[in-house]
Amino acid sequence: MRMAARASSLALVFCLAYPVAAQEAPAPTGDAPPAIPVPTNGAERYAPTDFARFAPRTALDMVEKVPGFLIVTGTNGGDRGLGQATENVLINGERIASKTTDARTALSRITASQVAYIDIVDGASLNVPGLTGQVANVVLVAGSDATGGGFKTTIRWQPEWRPRLDDNWLNGEISTTGKLGGTNLTLSLKNEANRNGHWGPERVYDGNGALLFTRDEFGAYNGDRPRLSAALSRTTANGNKWNFNTGAQIQYLTEGVDSVSTRPANGLVTENFRFKEDERNFDIGGDYEMGLGKGRLKLIGLYRFEHSPVVDTFVVDREIGGRTGDRFSQTADESESILRGEYSWRTAGGTDWQVAVEGAYNTLDVDAELAVLQPDGEFLPVVFGGEKTKVEEKRAEASLTWGRSLASNLTAQLNLAAEYSELTSSGPGGLTRSFIRPKGKLAFAWKVGPKTTINWHIQRRIDQLNFYDFASSVDVANGQGNQGNGQLVPPVVNRTELEFVQDLGRWGNASVQFAYAYAQDLVDQIPLSPTTEGRGNLPPANLYRISSKATLLLDPIGFKGARINSDLTWRRNRVRDPLTGLWRDQSGGQDYVVDLSFRHDIPGSNFAWGAGYFDERYAPNLRLDAIEKEYTVGPFVTAYIEHKNVAGFTVKLSYRNLAGMKDGFDRTVFVDRRDGPIAFSESRQRKFGQYFQLTVTGTL
């Protein structure tokens, strides 16, 4: 009843807003953009007028509507160092060189009135190492950055109301951008809040498949991640540029799973799992770019620190057999320091060059404790062999990038690099080792015809290790543990990708990609001794991928303002099992993803409506004594209605999980190793019901 009442109230907002906004929303005010120049280097250019029917509030709204283009997210925050560009979005021709702000976040803080035009270009044609395939270059209005001398504020608020769970009122962001004495200033407060959960039965079977008992389970997962950040930038009179950014964040995460069962030997049994993380982190960074000789020199510096205390507790109360429990606590301090220099220039013949040098110092310091519940209700620490671990890495990288047009319709980019890393670990099996690894990338973009482009690249990539794999840990809920492994080496991936991009004219845009990789030293679960296991390196593996992205515009068939977007991926990651020696799928590797969406902007009105369909599958996670498979039952289906001018804001109401998707988990546990007899198995399917989500965006 509570959700129904809210849905009726929200629907009333749309109805009341319609009479006063039955025409297209007015364009945001600001400095008038200059005449759109004719694109060069084969770019496909989109002007603000191309997005007028969507009434965009931010640059993100515009980029998301480019036919056939999908933003590749990620801040490179999962990898230490800055390295090459990892996202397919540029702003004024420059990468977003930040570890804390991804492309979607950066674009959401730029108002639509600040965008002069958007170019979709081939990555190989740019002097930005790491970029291949389609890249969006968002070019802003020159001069006052379209602020008109004042500040512009963007707002996004996205509450959710789910059955049986706490309401989520706190998810959103507010940011303001303007000028102070010629310096651009952006202030932002963002909270990625979640209130998730699910419930349902879990059935437990013996080794012969006979049902032992059924648990009735309920899980709730809440998180608040408020982050306050500031960014300053300025271009001086002589053309030099500088940027400064800083931010601080609190992450408060809690999880709870409660279950009740009746068992023949124990009577009524209740199980309670609790997780809590109270993280604090901050970062400070900046860059300075100036003219030097015939080129430009950019110097970049960054420091990041994170303090993460985590506590897992699992307690079982048996009507017959009493109470038992375990607690695993871990406090981790991470830091990262980076210095990077890039010197770029273009020769008279049109060749782009860049020389880059980067140094980084990274640390992880872990204090852990395993404790067992005593009859008096206190937890008594016990020795588990992984109480303290410290990891240090000194890393240096040097690269040379060359790029130029080989013909009027063919561009190439070559990047040659080498990486030096010294790793020191004080945990189990800890030692000091050093690595020198060559890497690089060769990419071509061939404009076969006015509407057809072929992109191809071959790459040797050095992936980075998860420092937590050096430390021992205990999963108290499932009675499992991982021993730290000081022998880990960084994975090497040798990959190639071929992409075909077709402009379908008034029908839209489509692309298909084929990729293969020969991977060495991938990290997976391996035996570390006759009785222990942990993360370790695998023999060489083969990775395959086929993916496609497309936008189909339905105007040619008379369905004005309608479009269908698709993002499809199929993967097959084949690795040698460290236990059996046989080929199998990589643990937890993605099998496929199907992401389809439909949108209709009703002509002559401010209304739009649409729907989405999402389904994906992952391979099971394999431990040496267990097979664990997470999956979903049914697709995730969404329907929504949107109004583009409710008191100057865009308001979107979504009804989510229409098909009743459930979260599934199956686990088979073996007596010893998984090539032997089965001890028991369990299977659960938890539903989370249909729910409403409201999205309000706008600018002030």
Side-chain angles (χ1 to χ4, degrees):
M1 293 295 294
R2 182 178 64 171
M3 292 184 65
R6 285 175 177 152
S8 300
S9 299
L10 293 170
L12 182 61
V13 171
F14 280 92
C15 294
L16 293 176
Y18 182 76
V20 298
Q23 59 186 13
E24 293 292 328
T29 59
D31 292 352
I36 304 301
V38 177
T40 58
N41 70 358
E44 187 174 3
R45 181 155 295 175
Y46 293 87
T49 53
D50 295 319
F51 306 100
R53 68 176 179 179
F54 305 113
R57 304 292 175 182
T58 66
L60 177 62
D61 297 334
M62 301 168 78
V63 174
E64 286 182 328
K65 302 304 186 297
V66 174
F69 183 81
L70 290 176
I71 298 173
V72 176
T73 59
T75 61
N76 206 31
D79 291 337
R80 293 170 294 280
L82 288 171
Q84 298 180 353
T86 58
E87 299 186 304
N88 61 346
V89 173
L90 304 176
I91 298 177
N92 283 339
E94 298 183 3
R95 61 179 288 198
I96 304 169
S98 172
K99 305 250 326 159
T100 56
T101 302
D102 63 15
R104 301 182 69 86
T105 300
L107 293 174
S108 70
R109 296 172 181 171
I110 300 172
T111 63
S113 61
Q114 291 176 272
V115 178
Y117 55 87
I118 299 170
D119 276 349
I120 303 298
V121 298
D122 300 315
S125 67
L126 303 168
N127 189 29
V128 182
L131 291 181
T132 55
Q134 291 185 300
V135 176
N137 181 26
V138 180
V139 179
L140 305 183
V141 175
S144 63
D145 294 330
T147 62
F151 280 80
K152 287 193 176 293
T153 300
T154 62
I155 297 173
R156 180 187 62 83
W157 181 46
Q158 194 170 67
E160 283 185 349
W161 303 279
R162 294 177 176 237
R164 300 186 62 178
L165 300 173
D166 294 338
D167 294 337
N168 183 7
W169 295 97
L170 302 178
N171 183 48
E173 179 180 13
I174 180 170
S175 65
T176 185
T177 302
K179 281 183 176 291
L180 287 177
T183 298
N184 299 313
L185 170 65
T186 298
L187 298 174
S188 172
L189 176 61
K190 180 179 182 180
N191 183 24
E192 295 179 305
N194 65 275
R195 304 290 185 267
N196 300 333
H198 46 198
W199 53 90
E202 179 176 73
R203 296 175 175 85
V204 181
Y205 305 88
D206 66 15
N208 297 316
L211 180 66
L212 294 174
F213 59 87
T214 300
R215 296 185 179 102
D216 184 21
E217 300 185 316
F218 180 89
Y221 317 95
N222 295 342
D224 285 288
R225 305 166 181 85
R227 173 178 169 80
L228 181 64
S229 61
L232 298 168
S233 66
R234 185 180 183 120
T235 300
T236 63
N238 61 2
N240 294 351
K241 303 176 183 179
W242 60 263
N243 295 278
F244 172 81
N245 53 78
T246 186
Q249 184 179 41
I250 299 171
Q251 294 199 47
Y252 185 70
L253 313 178
T254 61
E255 297 181 8
V257 179
D258 299 318
S259 74
V260 179
S261 60
T262 301
R263 309 180 190 180
N266 305 107
L268 183 66
V269 178
T270 62
E271 297 170 288
N272 305 102
F273 171 77
R274 294 293 182 269
F275 163 87
K276 182 176 71 173
E277 180 176 4
D278 191 6
E279 178 185 308
R280 304 289 188 271
N281 64 65
F282 75 91
D283 58 89
I284 184 170
D287 61 76
Y288 187 81
E289 180 183 323
M290 61 182 178
L292 181 65
K294 296 183 179 180
R296 306 282 295 179
L297 174 66
K298 175 179 278 191
L299 303 175
I300 307 171
L302 180 143
Y303 177 76
R304 180 179 64 87
F305 178 80
E306 178 181 306
H307 174 71
S308 304
V310 173
V311 179
D312 289 339
T313 307
F314 185 65
V315 176
V316 182
D317 282 296
R318 304 171 184 84
E319 187 178 17
I320 303 172
R323 165 179 280 200
T324 59
D326 298 287
R327 184 185 68 196
F328 179 73
S329 57
Q330 175 181 273
T331 299
D333 290 329
E334 293 182 77
S335 70
E336 178 178 32
S337 305
I338 306 170
L339 287 175
R340 181 177 176 88
E342 300 173 348
Y343 183 66
S344 306
W345 72 98
R346 167 168 283 196
T347 67
T351 300
D352 291 313
W353 292 91
Q354 185 188 89
V355 177
V357 178
E358 179 174 307
Y361 176 65
N362 311 294
T363 66
L364 171 67
D365 200 341
V366 173
D367 287 328
E369 178 187 87
L370 177 64
V372 178
L373 184 65
Q374 302 301 299
D376 62 1
E378 298 295 323
F379 283 92
L380 178 66
V382 297
V383 176
F384 75 102
E387 282 72 13
K388 288 186 178 293
T389 301
K390 184 169 184 177
V391 184
E392 293 180 288
E393 180 189 39
K394 299 173 183 176
R395 194 176 62 82
E397 175 184 309
S399 65
L400 174 66
T401 302
W402 167 93
R404 67 166 293 123
S405 295
L406 303 180
S408 60
N409 63 343
L410 178 64
T411 58
Q413 185 186 97
L414 174 65
N415 175 264
L416 299 175
E419 178 180 307
Y420 169 81
S421 176
E422 180 184 279
L423 276 169
T424 301
S425 171
S426 66
L431 45 84
T432 298
R433 296 160 300 147
S434 61
F435 307 93
I436 298 179
R437 300 283 180 91
K439 58 183 180 180
K441 189 174 188 179
L442 175 62
F444 293 94
W446 179 25
K447 197 77 172 178
V448 180
K451 296 186 176 181
T452 304
T453 301
I454 298 177
N455 297 306
W456 175 79
H457 75 261
I458 185 170
Q459 178 186 27
R460 177 181 169 88
R461 190 182 73 211
I462 310 299
D463 288 346
Q464 295 190 8
L465 294 169
N466 184 344
F467 280 1
Y468 284 93
D469 291 340
F470 289 84
S472 298
S473 62
V474 179
D475 178 355
V476 294
N478 292 313
Q480 299 171 333
N482 274 357
Q483 179 179 311
N485 183 7
Q487 306 288 333
L488 285 162
V489 300
V492 178
V493 180
N494 306 284
R495 66 187 300 270
T496 183
E497 179 176 309
L498 181 65
E499 178 186 42
F500 298 89
V501 182
Q502 183 66 40
D503 182 357
L504 302 176
R506 63 194 186 112
W507 288 95
N509 185 284
S511 66
V512 61
Q513 301 87 27
F514 303 91
Y516 166 75
Y518 178 74
Q520 300 166 276
D521 296 320
L522 290 180
V523 176
D524 207 327
Q525 206 75 6
I526 70 167
L528 298 178
S529 77
T531 58
T532 61
E533 62 180 287
R535 307 296 287 172
N537 298 107
L538 294 180
N542 297 290
L543 315 179
Y544 308 88
R545 175 174 60 83
I546 301 174
S547 57
S548 173
K549 302 176 181 65
T551 297
L552 178 63
L553 305 178
L554 302 182
D555 295 66
I557 62 173
F559 199 173
K560 300 296 184 181
R563 58 168 55 196
I564 297 173
N565 288 325
S566 68
D567 182 9
L568 313 173
T569 297
W570 172 87
R571 296 179 189 269
R572 192 75 183 275
N573 297 343
R574 303 293 288 169
V575 302
R576 285 280 188 184
D577 191 290
L579 180 63
T580 66
L582 301 177
W583 288 100
R584 63 164 171 84
D585 290 334
Q586 183 183 13
S587 289
Q590 188 185 71
D591 288 337
Y592 70 83
V593 59
V594 177
D595 190 357
L596 304 173
S597 64
F598 167 82
R599 179 182 173 94
H600 180 212
D601 291 271
I602 302 175
S605 78
N606 278 322
F607 276 101
W609 64 279
Y613 175 101
F614 182 83
D615 188 24
E616 64 179 341
R617 287 292 181 273
Y618 288 87
N621 283 300
L622 272 65
R623 295 180 58 85
L624 297 185
D625 62 352
I627 300 175
E628 303 171 345
K629 182 173 179 61
E630 291 189 70
Y631 59 96
T632 56
V633 181
F636 189 78
V637 179
T638 302
Y640 68 88
I641 183 171
E642 177 180 293
H643 196 290
K644 304 168 191 174
N645 191 4
V646 178
F649 288 85
T650 298
V651 179
K652 175 180 174 182
L653 177 64
S654 302
Y655 189 42
R656 300 168 71 78
N657 197 27
L658 274 67
M661 172 194 277
K662 298 179 182 179
D663 294 326
F665 178 79
D666 295 341
R667 183 166 78 114
T668 303
V669 179
F670 296 80
V671 174
D672 185 21
R673 300 303 201 193
R674 55 180 157 79
D675 55 356
I678 295 174
F680 68 91
S681 63
E682 50 193 15
S683 177
R684 70 171 179 243
Q685 291 185 7
R686 298 177 183 168
K687 61 183 179 180
F688 52 95
Q690 291 80 31
Y691 61 98
F692 288 98
Q693 180 187 82
L694 182 69
T695 304
V696 180
T697 56
T699 60
L700 299 176

